[in-house]
Amino acid sequence: MGDPTVEGMYEDGTGLLTIGALARLTGVPVKTIRHWSDQDLLPPTARTPAGYRLYGPDAPARLEIVRSLRDLGITTGAIRSVLQRQRTVAETAAQWADALDAQIRTLQLQRAVLRSVAARGSAAEELPRMTELARLSDRERRRIITDFVDDALDGVHAPAYRSGLLAATPDLPDDPTPEQIGAWFELAALVREPELRAALRRLAEHSARMAPAPEQPPAAEPDAVGAERNAAAQEEAAVRVAELMRVRGEAALAAGIAPDSPAAEPVAAELVAAWIPTQTGTADPPAEDGPQARARLLEQLETAAEPAVERYWQLLCTVTGRPAPPSWGPAGTWTAAALRAHPRPYRLDRSAFEAADPDRVLHAYEQVIRDVGALVAAVSPQDLALPTPCAGWSVRQLLDHMVWENLMATSIAEDAPRDDFTADHLGDDHRAAFEDSARAALAAFTGSGMLHRTYGPYEAPGAMLVQQVVVELLAHGWDLARATGAPTGLAPEVAEETLAAARRIYGAAPRTEGSSFAPERPAPTGASAPDRLAAFLGRDPA
């Protein structure tokens, strides 16, 4: 470092600081001070005859400024500009804050990508594409969507539908979450799928067919403004109707209302009545509830039921942080099935709601469960793969559905409707599954007051809902007997009244594609009540 005598002389005798003294005073290493001096950030005031650097009394303060700016990440050149008064500290700070913002965004994006890669378990081969997608600008991401929409809708004149698609842009926030990055990766892959393009094209073609014939544009601005307001009002009305359909469908499911039962007709009528006003701006709008109106609403629902399109909007909402649109799911399926089963309005016979005697219904359930339970207990593991007369189901699928009927009725009685229809309800022991479900249902029927309560927006009596379960279990018990070669004369004490209940509940409902049962078939002369029930519900008892 030099001669200590020389250092002391200059430190004590002249007020100048040697590089060692400056280092001890500020805590900055000598090597760093020498480097900054060479960069002209801390030029020496003088030198000793031997060439050692000497610094004036302002050197410690200047050194602190340099150190602070370097700690903030500001480059040597920028610091030099500040010290030489070419730029102010404020200007430099603003410039570097902007640069840091960009760097932070980059680091946040890199972190989100890495988190998403870890969560998705991505393969090494995917990394280049994922990194490329993550680095795209907002403009480049929008271009991907624009090109996709233009290609999918090429040649289809549906300007409103096209505008709606293009208005939704996949703009990532500055600090995206791993979920948002993952959604963008999936979205970028989804828009390359032919299935999504075909689905969007079908929706656009439907929109084009429903659009009214072009008219002359409004001559005056107030008319144009009024037309715009009308369009906005119609869109709001359509959203309200869609929400009403979801709420009513979920309520019907919660109440255990079959879409082809009489209890579904009032729901269908309400939904059609609410939907008709939203069609005033379309081609040939329906004026009243009838076959044309119901067929058109059903067409709209079936056209909109595109899983790929629903996933597209879900991903877009995740990318941008907006709430995802509600999924139709089971409620949409129920609504469409109700419209298929009730293609035209008809006067509801309220006796179908009111004729169920709670005590007789409970007795019928006990008798049917007794005989059907004995059939189930006799089913061997080898029998589970046998075909049945019911909709191409195997014995195992049939038993699973029968267990589901008990479980669903129990959940309705307990005001906690199930939605796991597609789950496996049998497990490894079909006998125990059926016995447990029947025991739980019977306890719920007697302990919850279900047989004396009403359910759903149209107050379907709980006794009628249980009666539907009795009809289902007796009919499916007949299916099981035919599949396994057992006698079909089940529950003779209550079979006749169960057949009468089935005619009362399902007699007015059309047997269409959406129905639970096929058209009625003739029963042989002298057939038992269970055989005649099977024939009424579309089976062949011969």
Side-chain angles (χ1 to χ4, degrees):
M1 287 184 59
D3 187 342
T5 304
V6 173
E7 286 186 2
M9 179 180 66
Y10 283 97
E11 182 178 1
D12 298 332
T14 66
L16 297 178
L17 298 170
T18 64
I19 196 168
L22 183 58
R24 290 192 298 274
L25 186 63
T26 62
V28 178
V30 169
K31 182 178 180 180
T32 301
I33 296 175
R34 185 179 295 114
H35 173 70
W36 286 346
S37 292
D38 292 342
Q39 297 292 320
D40 202 23
L41 301 180
L42 191 70
T45 301
R47 288 182 180 267
T48 67
Y52 294 105
R53 308 175 203 228
L54 298 173
Y55 296 93
D58 64 335
R62 186 180 178 101
L63 184 58
E64 287 298 329
I65 293 173
V66 174
R67 178 163 60 178
S68 297
L69 292 174
R70 285 298 295 143
D71 287 346
L72 290 171
I74 298 177
T75 62
T76 300
I79 296 174
R80 189 184 302 114
S81 296
V82 170
L83 296 175
Q84 294 176 356
R85 302 186 183 280
Q86 296 172 352
R87 294 176 65 88
T88 66
V89 171
E91 291 171 339
T92 302
Q95 175 187 358
W96 283 93
D98 291 342
L100 277 176
D101 284 341
Q103 185 178 2
I104 289 170
R105 284 194 296 271
T106 299
L107 290 173
Q108 289 170 334
L109 185 61
Q110 290 173 346
R111 180 187 62 191
V113 170
L114 291 171
R115 294 288 187 200
S116 180
V117 167
R120 292 159 59 92
S122 303
E125 293 78 11
E126 297 178 276
L127 288 178
R129 173 67 175 165
M130 294 172 70
T131 305
E132 176 188 355
L133 288 171
R135 288 175 176 169
L136 294 178
S137 65
D138 287 345
R139 182 177 181 180
E140 290 168 327
R141 282 192 296 273
R142 292 189 198 113
R143 189 69 211 171
I144 288 177
I145 300 300
T146 300
D147 290 346
F148 156 66
V149 171
D150 287 344
D151 181 58
L153 272 57
D154 183 38
V156 180
H157 183 69
Y161 187 73
R162 181 187 298 268
S163 298
L165 288 173
L166 294 179
T169 55
D171 295 334
L172 281 168
D174 290 339
D175 184 12
T177 65
E179 291 75 18
Q180 288 174 308
I181 289 292
W184 166 237
F185 292 156
E186 186 178 343
L187 181 64
L190 183 61
V191 297
R192 301 166 69 181
E193 293 294 329
E195 178 187 358
L196 176 61
R197 292 170 184 250
L200 281 181
R201 188 173 186 85
R202 287 192 294 271
L203 289 171
E205 289 170 344
H206 181 268
S207 176
R209 287 197 306 273
M210 293 297 102
E215 300 176 356
Q216 288 296 110
E221 181 64 22
D223 292 337
V225 172
E228 186 175 335
R229 287 176 179 169
N230 288 338
Q234 280 193 327
E235 183 176 352
E236 291 177 5
V239 171
R240 288 196 299 272
V241 171
E243 178 63 11
L244 177 65
M245 290 181 180
R246 184 186 66 79
V247 170
R248 288 291 185 260
E250 289 179 352
L253 284 167
I257 296 174
D260 54 356
S261 71
E265 165 56 24
V267 183
E270 180 189 10
L271 297 180
V272 174
W275 166 81
I276 284 175
T278 68
Q279 301 302 294
T280 55
T282 63
D284 191 23
E288 61 182 11
D289 190 357
Q292 186 229 358
R294 296 194 177 202
R296 181 156 164 175
L297 174 55
L298 178 59
E299 180 190 8
Q300 287 189 9
L301 294 178
E302 290 176 333
T303 302
E306 297 279 4
V309 175
E310 182 176 357
R311 184 58 181 160
Y312 173 81
W313 288 110
Q314 288 172 344
L315 291 171
L316 263 177
C317 289
T318 301
V319 168
T320 57
R322 296 194 299 267
S327 174
W328 271 90
T333 302
W334 186 95
T335 304
L339 289 168
R340 290 190 204 100
H342 303 278
R344 59 184 59 81
Y346 64 89
R347 185 177 298 277
L348 180 65
D349 180 5
R350 295 293 302 186
S351 67
F353 284 65
E354 299 160 356
D357 178 285
D359 292 335
R360 290 303 302 172
V361 168
L362 184 61
H363 176 67
Y365 182 81
E366 291 172 334
Q367 298 300 307
V368 169
I369 281 295
R370 179 199 65 195
D371 286 6
V372 173
L375 280 178
V376 174
V379 172
S380 69
Q382 293 73 25
D383 294 333
L384 294 176
L386 292 174
T388 73
C390 187
W393 282 350
S394 67
V395 166
R396 191 185 198 286
Q397 291 168 313
L398 181 70
L399 292 176
D400 185 88
H401 179 75
M402 293 164 70
V403 170
W404 161 257
E405 289 284 347
N406 282 327
L407 294 176
M408 184 61 184
T410 303
S411 69
I412 292 170
E414 296 172 345
D415 295 316
R418 303 172 67 108
D419 59 2
D420 59 341
F421 176 77
T422 58
D424 177 11
H425 305 101
L426 283 189
D428 298 329
D429 190 340
H430 61 275
R431 300 179 183 91
F434 185 83
E435 289 173 3
D436 291 345
S437 70
R439 189 181 306 111
L442 188 58
F445 298 159
T446 56
S448 68
M450 180 179 186
L451 292 164
H452 302 277
R453 293 173 56 194
T454 59
Y455 296 83
Y458 292 94
E459 299 184 345
M464 188 196 74
L465 300 178
V466 176
Q467 200 165 53
Q468 284 183 246
V469 177
V470 174
V471 172
E472 285 268 343
L473 290 177
L474 183 55
H476 291 315
W478 186 93
D479 293 327
L480 181 60
R482 291 295 293 264
T484 58
T488 59
L490 305 169
E493 304 92 334
V494 296
E496 286 287 357
E497 61 190 88
T498 302
L499 171 59
R503 292 188 182 280
R504 195 167 54 245
I505 295 172
Y506 299 108
R511 303 294 180 91
T512 64
E513 181 185 347
S515 300
S516 299
F517 311 109
E520 183 176 1
R521 308 185 79 165
T525 303
S528 67
D531 285 344
R532 283 181 281 129
L533 173 65
F536 174 69
L537 299 179
R539 277 75 160 171
D540 183 3

